[in-house]
Amino acid sequence: FRSAPLGNISHSHSDQNAIVLGAYGSPLLVNTGLRPWYGSPFCKEWYWTTKAHNALEIDGRGQPKTAEARGEVIVFHPDKTYDYVVGDATSGYGDKVQRYRRHLVFLKPDVLVLVDEVRAKEPVPLKLWFHGRAPFEIGADTGRIALAFENAALHGFLLAPGGLRIAQTDKYTIPPEMGKPELEWHLSAETKQRQSVTHIISVLGVSRAGGKNPTEAVEDVSDTRNIAVRFRRGAETIRVSIDTDMAAVKVQPLSEGSGR
């Protein structure tokens, strides 16, 4: 996870609040492309850009490659059962965006809950990018995604108010001028509705290749104050709730028949 005060300068990319994810010695969500040479057209149009990383575009735009596009880790809370980290990358998206924070809740050892929280001056669409070295399986109606590569598998659910348009391609905006990247697939999940206060929730479970999805029955149960998701993990139902004003998390195991 990168959220760096240095900004997007020099050999840095435009990837504040981006993640990479791997398990069992194998990459699952990766940075993409290659550098033919510093500043080549492919460098500028893909390799450096926000969309080439596991990151967020807001209102059709990624981050600029400037010192002003900074990030900051505002919460770092490791614990025995889960870790909670929050990165603020607001400055990378222009005056229209009042706040962009990415909340990561790692429920050890096999589930990552990723919450992209945006507040803007006017309604905007969000587009989430994920990249892998194998094709994604996509359940467009359910928001389910899956990916298997080498020793590991990713089992995900993507949720947003009003739903998401999920698609993938194995193409770049332009081909690299020289060299040949690893074969890569680029998944995008764009909100169907424009809203000024909005979010995308990603629940990402990992297992060994061929293993069982650790999460089921994933639901967005957010309210006006909290962004919250509820899901089943084995025999247990869990609710993860983010207080967006306080940048705080509550992880609750729920008993059968308990409320939202």
Side-chain angles (χ1 to χ4, degrees), residues 171-200:
K171 308 300 182 188
Y172 301 106
T173 48
I174 62 171
E177 293 83 6
M178 56 189 294
K180 187 176 181 180
E182 301 246 13
L183 196 56
E184 297 167 334
W185 282 263
H186 319 292
L187 180 145
S188 62
E190 185 170 16
T191 53
K192 294 180 180 179
Q193 297 180 0
R194 293 171 176 255
Q195 300 186 45
S196 55
V197 179
T198 190
H199 63 264
I200 297 177

PDB file of all heavy atoms in Angstrom, residues 171-200:
ATOM      1  N   LYS A 171      -5.752  -5.402 -23.093  1.00  0.00           N
ATOM      2  CA  LYS A 171      -5.092  -4.414 -23.937  1.00  0.00           C
ATOM      3  C   LYS A 171      -4.634  -3.211 -23.111  1.00  0.00           C
ATOM      4  O   LYS A 171      -5.208  -2.904 -22.063  1.00  0.00           O
ATOM      5  CB  LYS A 171      -6.021  -3.928 -25.048  1.00  0.00           C
ATOM      6  CG  LYS A 171      -6.652  -5.027 -25.877  1.00  0.00           C
ATOM      7  CD  LYS A 171      -5.623  -5.884 -26.586  1.00  0.00           C
ATOM      8  CE  LYS A 171      -6.305  -6.940 -27.455  1.00  0.00           C
ATOM      9  NZ  LYS A 171      -5.334  -7.911 -27.997  1.00  0.00           N
ATOM     10  N   TYR A 172      -3.630  -2.496 -23.631  1.00  0.00           N
ATOM     11  CA  TYR A 172      -3.210  -1.217 -23.079  1.00  0.00           C
ATOM     12  C   TYR A 172      -3.780  -0.091 -23.949  1.00  0.00           C
ATOM     13  O   TYR A 172      -4.253  -0.327 -25.062  1.00  0.00           O
ATOM     14  CB  TYR A 172      -1.680  -1.121 -23.059  1.00  0.00           C
ATOM     15  CG  TYR A 172      -1.013  -2.203 -22.256  1.00  0.00           C
ATOM     16  CD1 TYR A 172      -0.342  -3.249 -22.895  1.00  0.00           C
ATOM     17  CD2 TYR A 172      -1.044  -2.188 -20.867  1.00  0.00           C
ATOM     18  CE1 TYR A 172       0.279  -4.250 -22.165  1.00  0.00           C
ATOM     19  CE2 TYR A 172      -0.428  -3.184 -20.127  1.00  0.00           C
ATOM     20  CZ  TYR A 172       0.230  -4.215 -20.773  1.00  0.00           C
ATOM     21  OH  TYR A 172       0.833  -5.208 -20.046  1.00  0.00           O
ATOM     22  N   THR A 173      -3.706   1.133 -23.448  1.00  0.00           N
ATOM     23  CA  THR A 173      -4.160   2.271 -24.248  1.00  0.00           C
ATOM     24  C   THR A 173      -3.320   2.413 -25.517  1.00  0.00           C
ATOM     25  O   THR A 173      -3.845   2.759 -26.578  1.00  0.00           O
ATOM     26  CB  THR A 173      -4.090   3.562 -23.424  1.00  0.00           C
ATOM     27  OG1 THR A 173      -2.808   3.640 -22.782  1.00  0.00           O
ATOM     28  CG2 THR A 173      -5.179   3.590 -22.363  1.00  0.00           C
ATOM     29  N   ILE A 174      -2.019   2.189 -25.418  1.00  0.00           N
ATOM     30  CA  ILE A 174      -1.127   2.094 -26.573  1.00  0.00           C
ATOM     31  C   ILE A 174      -0.142   0.970 -26.286  1.00  0.00           C
ATOM     32  O   ILE A 174       0.120   0.657 -25.123  1.00  0.00           O
ATOM     33  CB  ILE A 174      -0.365   3.407 -26.857  1.00  0.00           C
ATOM     34  CG1 ILE A 174       0.548   3.777 -25.677  1.00  0.00           C
ATOM     35  CG2 ILE A 174      -1.329   4.535 -27.191  1.00  0.00           C
ATOM     36  CD1 ILE A 174       1.479   4.940 -25.979  1.00  0.00           C
ATOM     37  N   PRO A 175       0.439   0.339 -27.315  1.00  0.00           N
ATOM     38  CA  PRO A 175       1.428  -0.710 -27.048  1.00  0.00           C
ATOM     39  C   PRO A 175       2.760  -0.101 -26.621  1.00  0.00           C
ATOM     40  O   PRO A 175       3.090   1.031 -26.999  1.00  0.00           O
ATOM     41  CB  PRO A 175       1.561  -1.415 -28.403  1.00  0.00           C
ATOM     42  CG  PRO A 175       1.189  -0.378 -29.400  1.00  0.00           C
ATOM     43  CD  PRO A 175       0.155   0.484 -28.750  1.00  0.00           C
ATOM     44  N   PRO A 176       3.549  -0.815 -25.825  1.00  0.00           N
ATOM     45  CA  PRO A 176       4.876  -0.321 -25.466  1.00  0.00           C
ATOM     46  C   PRO A 176       5.786  -0.239 -26.685  1.00  0.00           C
ATOM     47  O   PRO A 176       5.659  -1.031 -27.623  1.00  0.00           O
ATOM     48  CB  PRO A 176       5.384  -1.341 -24.445  1.00  0.00           C
ATOM     49  CG  PRO A 176       4.576  -2.566 -24.674  1.00  0.00           C
ATOM     50  CD  PRO A 176       3.259  -2.114 -25.201  1.00  0.00           C
ATOM     51  N   GLU A 177       6.694   0.730 -26.668  1.00  0.00           N
ATOM     52  CA  GLU A 177       7.576   0.954 -27.814  1.00  0.00           C
ATOM     53  C   GLU A 177       8.611  -0.156 -27.975  1.00  0.00           C
ATOM     54  O   GLU A 177       9.089  -0.411 -29.085  1.00  0.00           O
ATOM     55  CB  GLU A 177       8.311   2.295 -27.661  1.00  0.00           C
ATOM     56  CG  GLU A 177       7.406   3.508 -27.743  1.00  0.00           C
ATOM     57  CD  GLU A 177       6.724   3.837 -26.421  1.00  0.00           C
ATOM     58  OE1 GLU A 177       7.040   3.198 -25.392  1.00  0.00           O
ATOM     59  OE2 GLU A 177       5.871   4.731 -26.406  1.00  0.00           O
ATOM     60  N   MET A 178       8.976  -0.785 -26.864  1.00  0.00           N
ATOM     61  CA  MET A 178       9.935  -1.887 -26.942  1.00  0.00           C
ATOM     62  C   MET A 178       9.717  -2.778 -25.729  1.00  0.00           C
ATOM     63  O   MET A 178       9.141  -2.376 -24.738  1.00  0.00           O
ATOM     64  CB  MET A 178      11.384  -1.368 -26.970  1.00  0.00           C
ATOM     65  CG  MET A 178      11.739  -0.481 -25.798  1.00  0.00           C
ATOM     66  SD  MET A 178      13.345   0.338 -25.968  1.00  0.00           S
ATOM     67  CE  MET A 178      14.451  -1.055 -25.899  1.00  0.00           C
ATOM     68  N   GLY A 179      10.158  -4.044 -25.830  1.00  0.00           N
ATOM     69  CA  GLY A 179       9.945  -4.983 -24.741  1.00  0.00           C
ATOM     70  C   GLY A 179       8.547  -5.582 -24.788  1.00  0.00           C
ATOM     71  O   GLY A 179       7.672  -5.114 -25.516  1.00  0.00           O
ATOM     72  N   LYS A 180       8.352  -6.611 -24.015  1.00  0.00           N
ATOM     73  CA  LYS A 180       7.068  -7.300 -23.991  1.00  0.00           C
ATOM     74  C   LYS A 180       6.682  -7.567 -22.540  1.00  0.00           C
ATOM     75  O   LYS A 180       7.331  -8.361 -21.855  1.00  0.00           O
ATOM     76  CB  LYS A 180       7.152  -8.618 -24.766  1.00  0.00           C
ATOM     77  CG  LYS A 180       5.811  -9.310 -24.930  1.00  0.00           C
ATOM     78  CD  LYS A 180       5.927 -10.560 -25.798  1.00  0.00           C
ATOM     79  CE  LYS A 180       4.585 -11.231 -25.974  1.00  0.00           C
ATOM     80  NZ  LYS A 180       4.670 -12.450 -26.806  1.00  0.00           N
ATOM     81  N   PRO A 181       5.613  -6.921 -22.035  1.00  0.00           N
ATOM     82  CA  PRO A 181       5.195  -7.167 -20.652  1.00  0.00           C
ATOM     83  C   PRO A 181       4.661  -8.580 -20.469  1.00  0.00           C
ATOM     84  O   PRO A 181       4.296  -9.255 -21.436  1.00  0.00           O
ATOM     85  CB  PRO A 181       4.080  -6.142 -20.431  1.00  0.00           C
ATOM     86  CG  PRO A 181       4.158  -5.196 -21.566  1.00  0.00           C
ATOM     87  CD  PRO A 181       4.775  -5.942 -22.709  1.00  0.00           C
ATOM     88  N   GLU A 182       4.623  -9.008 -19.213  1.00  0.00           N
ATOM     89  CA  GLU A 182       3.883 -10.231 -18.885  1.00  0.00           C
ATOM     90  C   GLU A 182       2.433 -10.039 -19.348  1.00  0.00           C
ATOM     91  O   GLU A 182       1.903  -8.925 -19.353  1.00  0.00           O
ATOM     92  CB  GLU A 182       3.888 -10.438 -17.368  1.00  0.00           C
ATOM     93  CG  GLU A 182       5.271 -10.563 -16.774  1.00  0.00           C
ATOM     94  CD  GLU A 182       5.522 -11.931 -16.195  1.00  0.00           C
ATOM     95  OE1 GLU A 182       4.716 -12.838 -16.475  1.00  0.00           O
ATOM     96  OE2 GLU A 182       6.526 -12.081 -15.493  1.00  0.00           O
ATOM     97  N   LEU A 183       1.779 -11.125 -19.745  1.00  0.00           N
ATOM     98  CA  LEU A 183       0.376 -11.033 -20.130  1.00  0.00           C
ATOM     99  C   LEU A 183      -0.439 -10.602 -18.911  1.00  0.00           C
ATOM    100  O   LEU A 183      -0.329 -11.202 -17.836  1.00  0.00           O
ATOM    101  CB  LEU A 183      -0.105 -12.379 -20.664  1.00  0.00           C
ATOM    102  CG  LEU A 183      -1.410 -12.380 -21.445  1.00  0.00           C
ATOM    103  CD1 LEU A 183      -1.364 -11.413 -22.627  1.00  0.00           C
ATOM    104  CD2 LEU A 183      -1.727 -13.784 -21.942  1.00  0.00           C
ATOM    105  N   GLU A 184      -1.251  -9.564 -19.081  1.00  0.00           N
ATOM    106  CA  GLU A 184      -1.970  -8.967 -17.952  1.00  0.00           C
ATOM    107  C   GLU A 184      -3.405  -8.640 -18.343  1.00  0.00           C
ATOM    108  O   GLU A 184      -3.689  -8.326 -19.500  1.00  0.00           O
ATOM    109  CB  GLU A 184      -1.265  -7.672 -17.511  1.00  0.00           C
ATOM    110  CG  GLU A 184       0.147  -7.909 -17.002  1.00  0.00           C
ATOM    111  CD  GLU A 184       0.960  -6.641 -16.864  1.00  0.00           C
ATOM    112  OE1 GLU A 184       0.680  -5.644 -17.568  1.00  0.00           O
ATOM    113  OE2 GLU A 184       1.897  -6.646 -16.044  1.00  0.00           O
ATOM    114  N   TRP A 185      -4.303  -8.701 -17.366  1.00  0.00           N
ATOM    115  CA  TRP A 185      -5.708  -8.346 -17.564  1.00  0.00           C
ATOM    116  C   TRP A 185      -6.045  -7.187 -16.634  1.00  0.00           C
ATOM    117  O   TRP A 185      -5.597  -7.134 -15.479  1.00  0.00           O
ATOM    118  CB  TRP A 185      -6.610  -9.542 -17.277  1.00  0.00           C
ATOM    119  CG  TRP A 185      -6.640 -10.518 -18.407  1.00  0.00           C
ATOM    120  CD1 TRP A 185      -7.580 -10.614 -19.408  1.00  0.00           C
ATOM    121  CD2 TRP A 185      -5.670 -11.537 -18.688  1.00  0.00           C
ATOM    122  NE1 TRP A 185      -7.255 -11.625 -20.272  1.00  0.00           N
ATOM    123  CE2 TRP A 185      -6.088 -12.207 -19.868  1.00  0.00           C
ATOM    124  CE3 TRP A 185      -4.490 -11.951 -18.075  1.00  0.00           C
ATOM    125  CZ2 TRP A 185      -5.378 -13.265 -20.421  1.00  0.00           C
ATOM    126  CZ3 TRP A 185      -3.765 -12.998 -18.632  1.00  0.00           C
ATOM    127  CH2 TRP A 185      -4.216 -13.638 -19.798  1.00  0.00           C
ATOM    128  N   HIS A 186      -6.869  -6.276 -17.143  1.00  0.00           N
ATOM    129  CA  HIS A 186      -7.179  -5.028 -16.457  1.00  0.00           C
ATOM    130  C   HIS A 186      -8.684  -4.962 -16.222  1.00  0.00           C
ATOM    131  O   HIS A 186      -9.462  -4.845 -17.171  1.00  0.00           O
ATOM    132  CB  HIS A 186      -6.707  -3.839 -17.302  1.00  0.00           C
ATOM    133  CG  HIS A 186      -5.374  -4.067 -17.942  1.00  0.00           C
ATOM    134  ND1 HIS A 186      -4.200  -4.146 -17.214  1.00  0.00           N
ATOM    135  CD2 HIS A 186      -5.027  -4.276 -19.241  1.00  0.00           C
ATOM    136  CE1 HIS A 186      -3.188  -4.368 -18.045  1.00  0.00           C
ATOM    137  NE2 HIS A 186      -3.672  -4.468 -19.273  1.00  0.00           N
ATOM    138  N   LEU A 187      -9.085  -5.049 -14.959  1.00  0.00           N
ATOM    139  CA  LEU A 187     -10.498  -5.022 -14.592  1.00  0.00           C
ATOM    140  C   LEU A 187     -10.864  -3.619 -14.122  1.00  0.00           C
ATOM    141  O   LEU A 187     -10.155  -3.019 -13.312  1.00  0.00           O
ATOM    142  CB  LEU A 187     -10.776  -6.044 -13.492  1.00  0.00           C
ATOM    143  CG  LEU A 187     -12.229  -6.143 -12.983  1.00  0.00           C
ATOM    144  CD1 LEU A 187     -12.561  -7.586 -12.628  1.00  0.00           C
ATOM    145  CD2 LEU A 187     -12.481  -5.242 -11.779  1.00  0.00           C
ATOM    146  N   SER A 188     -11.978  -3.108 -14.639  1.00  0.00           N
ATOM    147  CA  SER A 188     -12.500  -1.820 -14.176  1.00  0.00           C
ATOM    148  C   SER A 188     -13.909  -2.007 -13.639  1.00  0.00           C
ATOM    149  O   SER A 188     -14.702  -2.770 -14.196  1.00  0.00           O
ATOM    150  CB  SER A 188     -12.502  -0.789 -15.307  1.00  0.00           C
ATOM    151  OG  SER A 188     -13.352  -1.205 -16.361  1.00  0.00           O
ATOM    152  N   ALA A 189     -14.199  -1.302 -12.540  1.00  0.00           N
ATOM    153  CA  ALA A 189     -15.535  -1.327 -11.932  1.00  0.00           C
ATOM    154  C   ALA A 189     -15.960   0.118 -11.732  1.00  0.00           C
ATOM    155  O   ALA A 189     -15.422   0.819 -10.869  1.00  0.00           O
ATOM    156  CB  ALA A 189     -15.513  -2.079 -10.606  1.00  0.00           C
ATOM    157  N   GLU A 190     -16.927   0.574 -12.552  1.00  0.00           N
ATOM    158  CA  GLU A 190     -17.339   1.981 -12.542  1.00  0.00           C
ATOM    159  C   GLU A 190     -18.738   2.108 -11.973  1.00  0.00           C
ATOM    160  O   GLU A 190     -19.641   1.333 -12.317  1.00  0.00           O
ATOM    161  CB  GLU A 190     -17.302   2.554 -13.955  1.00  0.00           C
ATOM    162  CG  GLU A 190     -17.601   4.046 -14.009  1.00  0.00           C
ATOM    163  CD  GLU A 190     -17.317   4.643 -15.368  1.00  0.00           C
ATOM    164  OE1 GLU A 190     -17.186   3.878 -16.347  1.00  0.00           O
ATOM    165  OE2 GLU A 190     -17.234   5.882 -15.458  1.00  0.00           O
ATOM    166  N   THR A 191     -18.930   3.086 -11.100  1.00  0.00           N
ATOM    167  CA  THR A 191     -20.248   3.301 -10.502  1.00  0.00           C
ATOM    168  C   THR A 191     -21.259   3.700 -11.564  1.00  0.00           C
ATOM    169  O   THR A 191     -20.977   4.520 -12.442  1.00  0.00           O
ATOM    170  CB  THR A 191     -20.188   4.393  -9.412  1.00  0.00           C
ATOM    171  OG1 THR A 191     -19.588   5.571  -9.941  1.00  0.00           O
ATOM    172  CG2 THR A 191     -19.370   3.914  -8.214  1.00  0.00           C
ATOM    173  N   LYS A 192     -22.452   3.127 -11.478  1.00  0.00           N
ATOM    174  CA  LYS A 192     -23.518   3.449 -12.422  1.00  0.00           C
ATOM    175  C   LYS A 192     -24.140   4.812 -12.136  1.00  0.00           C
ATOM    176  O   LYS A 192     -24.711   5.437 -13.027  1.00  0.00           O
ATOM    177  CB  LYS A 192     -24.604   2.371 -12.376  1.00  0.00           C
ATOM    178  CG  LYS A 192     -24.147   1.009 -12.877  1.00  0.00           C
ATOM    179  CD  LYS A 192     -25.282   0.000 -12.793  1.00  0.00           C
ATOM    180  CE  LYS A 192     -24.847  -1.365 -13.295  1.00  0.00           C
ATOM    181  NZ  LYS A 192     -25.943  -2.368 -13.184  1.00  0.00           N
ATOM    182  N   GLN A 193     -24.049   5.248 -10.893  1.00  0.00           N
ATOM    183  CA  GLN A 193     -24.634   6.524 -10.500  1.00  0.00           C
ATOM    184  C   GLN A 193     -23.544   7.516 -10.106  1.00  0.00           C
ATOM    185  O   GLN A 193     -22.537   7.146  -9.522  1.00  0.00           O
ATOM    186  CB  GLN A 193     -25.585   6.334  -9.308  1.00  0.00           C
ATOM    187  CG  GLN A 193     -26.779   5.462  -9.587  1.00  0.00           C
ATOM    188  CD  GLN A 193     -27.676   5.303  -8.374  1.00  0.00           C
ATOM    189  OE1 GLN A 193     -27.405   5.844  -7.299  1.00  0.00           O
ATOM    190  NE2 GLN A 193     -28.768   4.557  -8.540  1.00  0.00           N
ATOM    191  N   ARG A 194     -23.779   8.776 -10.448  1.00  0.00           N
ATOM    192  CA  ARG A 194     -22.928   9.861  -9.980  1.00  0.00           C
ATOM    193  C   ARG A 194     -23.476  10.368  -8.655  1.00  0.00           C
ATOM    194  O   ARG A 194     -24.667  10.697  -8.563  1.00  0.00           O
ATOM    195  CB  ARG A 194     -22.907  11.011 -10.984  1.00  0.00           C
ATOM    196  CG  ARG A 194     -22.232  10.678 -12.307  1.00  0.00           C
ATOM    197  CD  ARG A 194     -22.466  11.787 -13.302  1.00  0.00           C
ATOM    198  NE  ARG A 194     -21.740  11.531 -14.539  1.00  0.00           N
ATOM    199  CZ  ARG A 194     -20.627  12.173 -14.896  1.00  0.00           C
ATOM    200  NH1 ARG A 194     -20.137  13.131 -14.116  1.00  0.00           N
ATOM    201  NH2 ARG A 194     -20.023  11.881 -16.027  1.00  0.00           N
ATOM    202  N   GLN A 195     -22.632  10.449  -7.642  1.00  0.00           N
ATOM    203  CA  GLN A 195     -23.037  10.955  -6.341  1.00  0.00           C
ATOM    204  C   GLN A 195     -21.905  11.798  -5.769  1.00  0.00           C
ATOM    205  O   GLN A 195     -20.737  11.576  -6.074  1.00  0.00           O
ATOM    206  CB  GLN A 195     -23.381   9.813  -5.388  1.00  0.00           C
ATOM    207  CG  GLN A 195     -24.526   8.936  -5.876  1.00  0.00           C
ATOM    208  CD  GLN A 195     -24.950   7.905  -4.851  1.00  0.00           C
ATOM    209  OE1 GLN A 195     -25.094   8.214  -3.674  1.00  0.00           O
ATOM    210  NE2 GLN A 195     -25.152   6.680  -5.295  1.00  0.00           N
ATOM    211  N   SER A 196     -22.257  12.761  -4.929  1.00  0.00           N
ATOM    212  CA  SER A 196     -21.230  13.615  -4.339  1.00  0.00           C
ATOM    213  C   SER A 196     -20.601  12.986  -3.096  1.00  0.00           C
ATOM    214  O   SER A 196     -19.449  13.274  -2.770  1.00  0.00           O
ATOM    215  CB  SER A 196     -21.801  14.988  -4.000  1.00  0.00           C
ATOM    216  OG  SER A 196     -22.943  14.865  -3.173  1.00  0.00           O
ATOM    217  N   VAL A 197     -21.343  12.138  -2.409  1.00  0.00           N
ATOM    218  CA  VAL A 197     -20.807  11.360  -1.285  1.00  0.00           C
ATOM    219  C   VAL A 197     -21.032   9.894  -1.637  1.00  0.00           C
ATOM    220  O   VAL A 197     -22.181   9.435  -1.698  1.00  0.00           O
ATOM    221  CB  VAL A 197     -21.496  11.719   0.045  1.00  0.00           C
ATOM    222  CG1 VAL A 197     -20.934  10.869   1.180  1.00  0.00           C
ATOM    223  CG2 VAL A 197     -21.323  13.201   0.361  1.00  0.00           C
ATOM    224  N   THR A 198     -19.969   9.174  -1.877  1.00  0.00           N
ATOM    225  CA  THR A 198     -20.137   7.818  -2.399  1.00  0.00           C
ATOM    226  C   THR A 198     -18.957   6.944  -2.006  1.00  0.00           C
ATOM    227  O   THR A 198     -17.980   7.410  -1.403  1.00  0.00           O
ATOM    228  CB  THR A 198     -20.333   7.855  -3.930  1.00  0.00           C
ATOM    229  OG1 THR A 198     -20.712   6.565  -4.393  1.00  0.00           O
ATOM    230  CG2 THR A 198     -19.072   8.321  -4.636  1.00  0.00           C
ATOM    231  N   HIS A 199     -19.054   5.671  -2.373  1.00  0.00           N
ATOM    232  CA  HIS A 199     -17.999   4.728  -1.979  1.00  0.00           C
ATOM    233  C   HIS A 199     -18.063   3.483  -2.851  1.00  0.00           C
ATOM    234  O   HIS A 199     -19.069   3.207  -3.502  1.00  0.00           O
ATOM    235  CB  HIS A 199     -18.124   4.338  -0.502  1.00  0.00           C
ATOM    236  CG  HIS A 199     -19.406   3.623  -0.172  1.00  0.00           C
ATOM    237  ND1 HIS A 199     -20.513   4.263   0.327  1.00  0.00           N
ATOM    238  CD2 HIS A 199     -19.761   2.308  -0.267  1.00  0.00           C
ATOM    239  CE1 HIS A 199     -21.492   3.392   0.523  1.00  0.00           C
ATOM    240  NE2 HIS A 199     -21.049   2.181   0.162  1.00  0.00           N
ATOM    241  N   ILE A 200     -16.960   2.755  -2.839  1.00  0.00           N
ATOM    242  CA  ILE A 200     -16.900   1.394  -3.371  1.00  0.00           C
ATOM    243  C   ILE A 200     -16.326   0.507  -2.268  1.00  0.00           C
ATOM    244  O   ILE A 200     -15.314   0.853  -1.655  1.00  0.00           O
ATOM    245  CB  ILE A 200     -16.034   1.292  -4.638  1.00  0.00           C
ATOM    246  CG1 ILE A 200     -16.619   2.129  -5.771  1.00  0.00           C
ATOM    247  CG2 ILE A 200     -15.909  -0.173  -5.080  1.00  0.00           C
ATOM    248  CD1 ILE A 200     -15.771   2.122  -7.037  1.00  0.00           C
TER     249      ILE A 200
END
